[in-house]
Amino acid sequence: LLVVDSVQTISTDASGGAAGGVPQIRAVAAALIGVAKQRGIATVLVGHVTKDGAIAGPRVLEHLVDVVLHFEGDRHSSLRLVRATKNRHGPSDEVGCFEMREDGMAGLTDPSGLFLSDRTAAVAGTCVTIAVEGRRALATEIQALTNPVSYGASPRRAVSNLDSARVAMLLAVLVRHARLPMGEVEVYVATVGGILANEPACDLGITLALASAVRELPIPPTVCAIG
């Protein structure tokens, strides 16, 4: 096993330019790939990423390798996800779930418990839904908070690990069809554990969490909303 950390800092005399440039990355990656194929060595090239999570610098490295894996997670959560964004030899929608412990990383076969808050009584503004990560269906809790707007102020909308445009559309649905006063309150919506819930199947859970928050009516903990 060969692990190169990081490929952007390595240079070769076979190509010109500074380390991290397109010619250097192409030459270094080609040399490492040639050795890996010749000797049968599994090779991992670690690359720098930007604040947005994309691979830094030229994207030529993504085109040269067989598999691109992103290691991600919320800094305030013990959960870590390994997500495949490219795979020439298999599906690219697989996700590996790991938990950061005192003795290192541990694989999780069913990490759903990390996305649910630890509570015994029903609380207004929360609803459990199902989010799909790769081919895993994970029970995920949506948490919503509403607060009356100060006189003359514009209502604030803040979301975490959700699609802000989709939440805005769901708020419009609640105003138009459920006659809920969503335009008179600030809205804060997030998921538990830092999991992304951007698929349409989570819409019903988000909507019920918002309606529960603004009406202060708890949803039973045994309810799971999908749709």
Side-chain angles (χ1 to χ4, degrees):
L1 174 65
L2 171 63
V3 180
V4 180
D5 184 10
S6 66
V7 69
Q8 280 101 337
T9 63
I10 301 177
S11 61
T12 174
D13 296 334
S15 179
V22 175
Q24 283 289 339
I25 290 180
R26 190 188 302 274
V28 170
L32 292 173
I33 291 172
V35 173
K37 291 183 177 180
Q38 181 181 2
R39 301 189 181 185
I41 303 174
T43 303
V44 178
L45 305 181
V46 181
H48 298 165
V49 295
T50 63
K51 293 181 179 179
D52 297 331
I55 295 180
R59 306 193 64 172
V60 62
L61 185 61
E62 294 186 49
H63 302 304
L64 294 174
V65 299
D66 293 328
V67 180
V68 177
L69 298 176
H70 281 272
F71 197 63
E72 58 191 44
D74 188 348
R75 69 169 66 182
H76 304 296
S77 172
S78 61
L79 179 70
R80 297 294 183 269
L81 299 177
V82 176
R83 190 185 306 274
T85 58
K86 173 187 176 181
N87 191 353
R88 287 178 178 166
H89 308 292
S92 61
D93 59 350
E94 286 296 330
V95 173
C97 298
F98 299 85
E99 185 179 14
M100 178 70 77
R101 300 175 180 173
E102 293 182 356
D103 55 349
M105 304 292 294
L108 299 176
T109 55
D110 183 18
S112 293
L114 294 176
F115 309 123
L116 300 175
S117 61
D118 187 12
R119 55 187 171 89
T120 56
V123 179
T126 66
C127 184
V128 176
T129 185
I130 300 296
V132 176
E133 286 285 352
R135 284 188 277 183
R136 294 171 182 246
L138 305 176
T140 306
E141 184 173 320
I142 307 294
Q143 294 184 338
L145 174 67
T146 59
N147 191 46
V149 181
S150 302
Y151 180 77
S154 300
R156 184 182 180 189
R157 304 319 190 209
V159 302
S160 179
N161 300 311
L162 297 167
D163 185 355
S164 57
R166 197 163 197 87
V167 172
M169 180 192 68
L170 296 176
L171 289 172
V173 171
L174 288 173
V175 172
R176 180 64 182 269
H177 296 286
R179 302 293 191 267
L180 293 178
M182 307 308 297
E184 304 172 7
V185 295
E186 295 178 335
V187 174
Y188 305 89
V189 196
T191 61
V192 174
I195 189 174
L196 296 176
N198 293 332
E199 58 180 308
C202 299
D203 286 356
L204 184 58
I206 298 172
T207 306
L208 288 177
L210 290 167
S212 171
V214 75
R215 288 299 191 199
E216 297 184 1
L217 295 175
I219 296 174
T222 54
V223 171
C224 181
I226 310 170

